[in-house]
Amino acid sequence: MNQNNGMQKRMLIMTLVVFVFFIAYEFLVLKPQQEAKAALVKQEQEQKQNSAPDVDTTQMVESDVNGNPINMSKSVDALSSKAIADKQIVSVIKTDKNIIEIDTLGRVAQVTLLEEKYKDENGNQIKLFEANQLRPLEVRFADKNINTEAFNAPVIASSSNIDATTSKQVLTLTQTLSDTVLTKTLTFYPDGHYDLSVSATNDKQFFITNGFRPNVLADMYALHGLITKLNDNTLTTIEDGDLSKNENITGVKFVSNFDRYYATVIYNFEKSLSITLMPDLSSNPQAFIHAGSSINFSGFMGPKNFKDLLALNKELTDVIEYGWFTFIAKPMFVLLQYIQSYVGNWGWTIVILTILIKLVLYPLSYKGMVSMNKLKELAPKMKEIQLKYKDDKQKQSMHMMELYKKHGANPMGGCLPLILQIPVFFAIYRVLINAIELKGAEWILWVQDLAEMDPYFVLPILMGATMYIQQKITPNTMQDEMQRKIFQFLPVIFTFFFLWFPAGLTLYWFINNLFTIGQQYYINKLFDKKRAEKN
């Protein structure tokens, strides 16, 4: 087989294999790993409950003169669900967006989202946190003795119920210990975010955490873990399970622990933060902020909604993680938002965005399709050369190149445009996977939530069918039977994986296939016309 033609085929197969591997890896490898990890964590928690039902004590390393953490023990309630006992709650704050519950140690015990679209599979309003996780705004003192005392001394709240639905309200939490008084002053706003000022008397050093990430949707499709933004605007993401040891970071603008759609964020854009990242028992990242004896910052606990984050601060939109292709994905999402502001429907917005992407990439697609048609026309002559010079590869290659040059064909033209479109696909994949704006967004008839799978599998089947049609009308110069079989099964494989994909992503792929079919049909007709004119 000709070397260039063989390379062209190998690159085309490689491109498709990348797609299949990308989908299969997430579905067959990542999901089982996450399920196994969740089972292990649950088993560890049950063991702790049996051995020490009241407290679980771990140690943090001692701090140095620079203020790194020292010898701080923690206490975590041995509960396994999101239910928080009433006796643990000292204050309940209601904003326009959420209900925030503060526990006896001055921590955020639970956040319940109030907007109608944020409901779980049972129809209940979504709660962000597990009862037994590291809780936001937990304080740990550098002095071990004070720290132990603090975990056994309840705070006094200035009010047990606060209504911040229409205007900002202030809550003061006071914890009186033998050698210091810890005071937290929280200002809650109707949009659900807060400002916090914390201080300890007698210059007692302490640390404060934004807690473990929300545990609502940590699935195989999107990243979940921790992200920080530094003064130089660099972003660092550490996924759950990837932190093996303590790490100190300075010059931090914000730190966010997040799952697919929700985040717990602490930020200060006027005075940067210093933090220490610590792994938990499952190597998940936990952030502890160096407070000294006092600190001020702002925070947010809730959905990673682009407009809400933008309203707080433009830089907070970086909380939304798009992975490797952020440089393409972020402007793409801004365009998606812009289109939706006029269209008003996320489903049709995805359709329009898909068409725009196809138009922008049309020159690449056109060149690739033309090249494939030319190669198909030249296939008989290529086969003649291969048979004539089957024992002399050098002459075979030389005559092939002459043939390509004479007819203006490019053996790489068919797959290079496809390869160049891979970053675009991955970017739109990340955008649609991470966009909480799609949650609860209807399209037509049976599609009531674009963030969930199509309940009747209509879109995946249509996607598979259009992929099959596209394959049938696309010129194919492959002689190898195994390669042909691989391509024939691709629509079936893709349909299978897309059965469980969010409807919004499947809609994108389906519309993309439709327009690719239209483009290919048009180019095929042009070649048929030229062929007829020659005859």
Side-chain angles (χ1 to χ4, degrees):
M1 181 179 290
N2 171 263
Q3 183 180 359
N4 291 305
N5 191 38
M7 182 180 295
Q8 188 266 345
K9 291 175 182 177
R10 287 194 295 272
M11 288 190 69
L12 188 55
I13 291 175
M14 178 198 72
T15 302
L16 292 170
V17 168
V18 166
F19 279 105
V20 175
F21 175 79
F22 177 77
I23 297 169
Y25 179 75
E26 294 209 7
F27 184 80
L28 300 176
V29 178
L30 292 184
K31 186 176 181 179
Q33 286 180 349
Q34 290 168 358
E35 290 175 348
K37 185 183 292 184
L40 179 61
V41 172
K42 184 177 180 180
Q43 182 180 2
E44 290 172 347
Q45 290 170 350
E46 289 174 352
Q47 290 174 349
K48 290 172 193 173
Q49 287 178 330
N50 294 332
S51 60
D54 296 322
V55 280
D56 163 40
T57 304
T58 58
Q59 297 294 322
M60 291 182 68
V61 297
E62 293 193 352
S63 70
D64 54 25
V65 292
N66 295 319
N68 296 327
I70 67 167
N71 205 7
M72 301 180 291
S73 61
K74 74 172 184 178
S75 174
V76 178
D77 300 297
L79 297 175
S80 58
S81 72
K82 293 186 176 182
I84 308 295
D86 290 341
K87 63 181 181 181
Q88 292 184 331
I89 305 303
V90 296
S91 186
V92 177
I93 304 92
K94 184 177 182 181
T95 73
D96 188 48
K97 297 292 183 67
N98 57 31
I99 294 175
I100 302 170
E101 298 174 69
I102 306 296
D103 70 9
T104 56
L105 296 182
R107 308 171 300 185
V108 176
Q110 190 57 272
V111 173
T112 304
L113 304 182
L114 294 180
E115 291 180 78
E116 182 65 23
K117 67 178 181 178
Y118 298 124
K119 288 186 176 182
D120 61 21
E121 60 277 7
N122 298 316
N124 300 317
Q125 294 301 135
I126 286 175
K127 297 180 182 296
L128 295 185
F129 306 122
E130 296 291 338
N132 58 352
Q133 72 179 61
L134 178 67
R135 297 182 179 181
L137 307 189
E138 177 174 299
V139 167
R140 301 191 188 179
F141 285 92
D143 185 305
K144 179 181 178 181
N145 294 325
I146 295 178
N147 194 63
T148 301
E149 183 184 358
F151 274 99
N152 292 281
V155 302
I156 302 299
S158 59
S159 177
S160 59
N161 285 281
I162 291 179
D163 186 350
T165 54
T166 58
S167 62
K168 67 179 183 180
Q169 300 293 328
V170 177
L171 171 68
T172 302
L173 303 171
T174 307
Q175 189 177 40
T176 303
L177 306 174
S178 58
D179 201 24
T180 189
V181 176
L182 181 73
T183 304
K184 292 180 180 176
T185 303
L186 286 143
T187 303
F188 294 97
Y189 295 82
D191 61 8
H193 90 281
Y194 65 87
D195 296 330
L196 174 63
S197 175
V198 193
S199 62
T201 61
N202 296 331
D203 198 34
K204 296 302 178 182
Q205 308 293 297
F206 65 90
F207 306 83
I208 190 166
T209 179
N210 66 324
F212 187 61
R213 62 165 171 77
N215 192 26
V216 181
L217 192 59
D219 59 17
M220 64 176 180
Y221 296 124
L223 299 179
H224 44 88
L226 175 144
I227 185 171
T228 60
K229 184 173 186 178
L230 305 185
N231 289 332
D232 61 3
N233 293 323
T234 58
L235 298 169
T236 301
T237 302
I238 301 175
E239 294 186 56
D240 284 347
D242 286 352
L243 187 66
S244 58
K245 60 181 180 180
N246 288 8
E247 292 185 16
N248 295 319
I249 306 177
T250 59
V252 177
K253 288 185 176 182
F254 73 65
V255 56
S256 168
N257 285 68
F258 63 92
D259 68 3
R260 180 173 168 186
Y261 287 147
Y262 308 93
T264 302
V265 189
I266 282 177
Y267 58 96
N268 191 328
F269 296 109
E270 296 178 358
K271 184 178 180 181
S272 60
L273 307 169
S274 295
I275 66 175
T276 291
L277 303 182
M278 287 185 58
D280 64 10
L281 294 175
S282 299
S283 297
N284 301 320
Q286 303 174 118
F288 292 87
I289 299 165
H290 301 205
S293 60
S294 65
I295 193 170
N296 299 283
F297 55 75
S298 298
F300 170 80
M301 300 165 290
K304 293 183 289 183
N305 185 294
F306 185 89
K307 289 183 179 179
D308 291 345
L309 294 169
L310 182 64
L312 293 176
N313 190 289
K314 181 180 179 180
E315 295 194 59
L316 284 177
T317 59
D318 288 331
V319 165
I320 305 172
E321 171 59 55
Y322 295 115
W324 293 348
F325 297 99
T326 296
F327 68 100
I328 302 176
K330 193 166 185 179
M332 191 176 290
F333 180 75
V334 173
L335 175 60
L336 198 69
Q337 288 265 25
Y338 179 77
I339 297 170
Q340 197 275 338
S341 67
Y342 286 95
V343 176
N345 179 283
W346 280 103
W348 292 115
T349 297
I350 292 172
V351 172
I352 293 171
L353 178 68
T354 309
I355 296 171
L356 289 176
I357 292 173
K358 292 298 291 182
L359 290 175
V360 171
L361 296 177
Y362 179 74
L364 279 176
S365 301
Y366 179 81
K367 287 181 179 180
M369 291 175 179
V370 168
S371 181
M372 292 296 289
N373 272 280
K374 286 183 178 180
L375 289 174
K376 182 182 179 181
E377 287 186 340
L378 295 176
K381 294 181 180 180
M382 291 163 58
K383 192 166 185 178
E384 287 178 11
I385 293 174
Q386 291 167 4
L387 291 173
K388 186 175 180 179
Y389 300 103
K390 62 181 179 180
D391 297 324
D392 191 337
K393 297 298 182 184
Q394 187 174 356
K395 282 188 177 182
Q396 185 186 109
S397 297
M398 182 182 69
H399 285 280
M400 281 289 190
M401 293 305 295
E402 289 176 357
L403 182 67
Y404 296 148
K405 187 175 181 180
K406 180 180 178 181
H407 294 275
N410 182 357
M412 305 300 293
C415 60
L416 279 178
L418 185 58
I419 292 174
L420 292 174
Q421 291 178 57
I422 289 179
V424 177
F425 165 75
F426 284 157
I428 193 69
Y429 170 86
R430 284 299 178 193
V431 166
L432 297 179
I433 283 293
N434 286 278
I436 193 171
E437 287 80 359
L438 298 184
K439 185 168 180 60
E442 300 178 2
W443 182 42
I444 55 174
L445 299 176
W446 73 96
V447 180
Q448 299 298 310
D449 191 338
L450 287 165
E452 300 293 334
M453 58 182 276
D454 184 333
Y456 302 107
F457 307 118
V458 176
L459 284 174
I461 292 171
L462 289 174
M463 186 279 302
T466 52
M467 191 174 183
Y468 174 78
I469 296 170
Q470 177 187 334
Q471 185 185 87
K472 282 295 182 182
I473 68 173
T474 300
N476 191 340
T477 61
M478 291 183 180
Q479 305 296 325
D480 186 84
E481 189 64 26
M482 181 59 69
Q483 292 176 0
R484 286 181 177 276
K485 287 182 178 180
I486 290 174
F487 273 76
Q488 288 172 357
F489 275 103
L490 281 177
V492 177
I493 296 170
F494 271 64
T495 300
F496 174 76
F497 285 120
F498 271 78
L499 291 176
W500 292 275
F501 269 34
L505 182 64
T506 312
L507 174 62
Y508 162 76
W509 196 291
F510 166 58
I511 299 299
N512 181 74
N513 286 351
L514 277 182
F515 276 82
T516 302
I517 289 171
Q519 290 175 358
Q520 187 69 63
Y521 181 79
Y522 170 72
I523 292 170
N524 289 353
K525 282 294 183 182
L526 286 180
F527 270 82
D528 289 342
K529 184 179 180 180
K530 288 181 180 179
R531 195 178 297 112
E533 289 174 353
K534 286 180 182 180
N535 296 334

